[in-house]
Amino acid sequence: MTTQQLIEQIQQKKSFLCIGLDVDLTKIPTHLLELEDPIFEFNKAIIDATHDLCVSYKPNVAFYEAYGIKGWQSLQKTINYINLYYPEIFTIADAKRGDIGNTSSMYAKAFFEDLNFNSVTVAPYMGKDSVEPFLAFENKHTILLALTSNEGAFDFQTKNVEGKELYKVVIETSKSWRNAENLMYVVGATKAEYFTEIRKIIPDSFLLVPGVGAQGGSLQEVCKYGMSETVGLLINSSRGIIYASYGVDFAEKAREEALKMQVEMQSILNNL
């Protein structure tokens, strides 16, 4: 998927919502546990109920790897279902990969060719040669961890390196990498005050923003400081949507929560 196709979808749906499909078998409705593949059935119901309200789905790969081969098969069935029935949706493998070049090439092949995701999250700690193998894929996107929303983010990401915060060094350096136009960045919503500084470095890049909702981030604040001329934001919500209900009405309640966010996003877009 091209960046322009993603922008067009945002314009059509009046939404820049990304829904995280982080499936925990201890949290899904118990009636699904009787089915052959409860993870996929849960995802399928959520997707069918919300696909017109969001522009992206983001499975966190750890929630599938934890269940071994069956979990990986559930992930594959999920991405295949999205690609088949809702091909306009931008898909994100939240895998946080990154290793030496030949290993990164295999990670990229797994997520871009075998599973056919549109994008994958990547850790930048090992530098250029660990990221460029992902960037080599045409019309695929690499989402670099820049400034995350977790408590430990302050251990390294905001430390000064020769007078500049490390996250800024990472973002600035990444702009020089081969095929850097395929980069997007993870910036946590709980760090809304940093968006102004980030936009000075990457005014037009898409930012994947976790932390709105259950983690306390403000959609209005993120948009105020982080929105670009083409929106440039994918606001992720996981638990607040997919676990809105633990009953048989879980998909209906998920839609209600997704609709609340879409309506708020539409209001923001209409006021631009």
Side-chain angles (χ1 to χ4, degrees):
M1 179 181 293
T2 66
T3 302
Q4 184 57 37
Q5 287 173 318
L6 176 57
I7 293 169
E8 289 171 359
Q9 188 188 177
I10 290 171
Q11 294 170 341
Q12 291 167 5
K13 293 183 175 179
K14 300 294 184 182
S15 172
F16 42 101
L17 174 62
C18 170
I19 297 177
L21 300 175
D22 305 346
V23 186
D24 184 340
L25 286 178
T26 67
K27 294 181 179 179
I28 68 173
T30 55
H31 72 277
L32 294 176
L33 299 177
E34 301 171 1
L35 303 176
E36 182 180 352
D37 190 343
I39 293 176
F40 172 68
E41 295 298 338
F42 178 81
N43 283 344
K44 179 178 178 295
I46 295 290
I47 292 163
D48 287 342
T50 62
H51 67 90
D52 59 319
L53 303 174
C54 69
V55 297
S56 179
Y57 289 111
K58 182 181 72 66
N60 187 314
V61 174
F63 286 82
Y64 301 83
E65 292 176 327
Y67 299 106
I69 186 63
K70 289 185 177 180
W72 197 259
Q73 289 169 342
S74 298
L75 177 63
Q76 187 163 44
K77 287 166 67 175
T78 297
I79 189 64
N80 288 348
Y81 186 79
I82 296 171
N83 287 338
L84 178 61
Y85 292 102
Y86 310 110
E88 78 283 0
I89 293 285
F90 184 75
T91 54
I92 302 170
D94 191 358
K96 301 178 179 69
R97 298 299 199 255
D99 207 328
I100 59 172
N102 60 341
T103 307
S104 281
S105 293
M106 292 299 143
Y107 280 139
K109 181 179 175 65
F111 290 108
F112 291 153
E113 291 186 354
D114 181 43
L115 290 172
N116 197 21
F117 274 93
N118 296 126
S119 64
V120 61
T121 59
V122 171
Y125 192 77
M126 292 182 67
K128 176 175 71 173
D129 58 309
S130 70
V131 179
E132 285 187 340
F134 295 93
L135 295 172
F137 285 75
E138 186 176 4
N139 293 330
K140 300 290 187 178
H141 303 269
T142 301
I143 308 179
L144 205 67
L145 297 176
L147 186 61
T148 56
S149 57
N150 61 302
E151 181 181 351
F154 295 102
D155 289 348
F156 301 114
Q157 295 169 27
T158 57
K159 297 295 184 184
N160 282 333
V161 178
E162 299 181 351
K164 187 179 298 183
E165 293 97 328
L166 180 58
Y167 78 89
K168 292 182 180 178
V169 176
V170 169
I171 296 171
E172 289 176 352
T173 302
S174 72
K175 292 170 63 179
S176 69
W177 295 343
R178 190 183 305 116
N179 300 318
E181 65 274 10
N182 294 334
L183 279 171
M184 298 179 175
Y185 299 85
V186 175
V187 180
T190 53
K191 306 288 192 298
E193 65 273 20
Y194 293 94
F195 278 85
T196 300
E197 292 299 307
I198 289 172
R199 280 304 187 197
K200 290 178 182 178
I201 307 170
I202 43 171
D204 301 316
S205 299
F206 262 87
L207 307 180
L208 172 63
V209 185
V212 169
Q215 295 183 47
S218 165
L219 176 61
Q220 295 288 339
E221 288 291 295
V222 169
C223 291
K224 179 180 178 180
Y225 298 109
M227 189 170 281
S228 70
E229 290 185 3
T230 57
V231 179
L233 297 172
L234 292 172
I235 304 294
N236 181 76
S237 179
S238 300
R239 289 168 288 173
I241 292 177
I242 67 173
Y243 296 133
S245 171
Y246 299 106
V248 294
D249 63 346
F250 73 96
E252 177 184 338
K253 293 300 183 183
R255 179 176 178 81
E256 290 178 7
E257 293 303 314
L259 181 60
K260 290 177 185 177
M261 292 197 70
Q262 186 275 325
V263 168
E264 188 175 0
M265 289 175 177
Q266 182 171 351
S267 176
I268 291 170
L269 293 175
N270 287 342
N271 289 324
L272 290 179

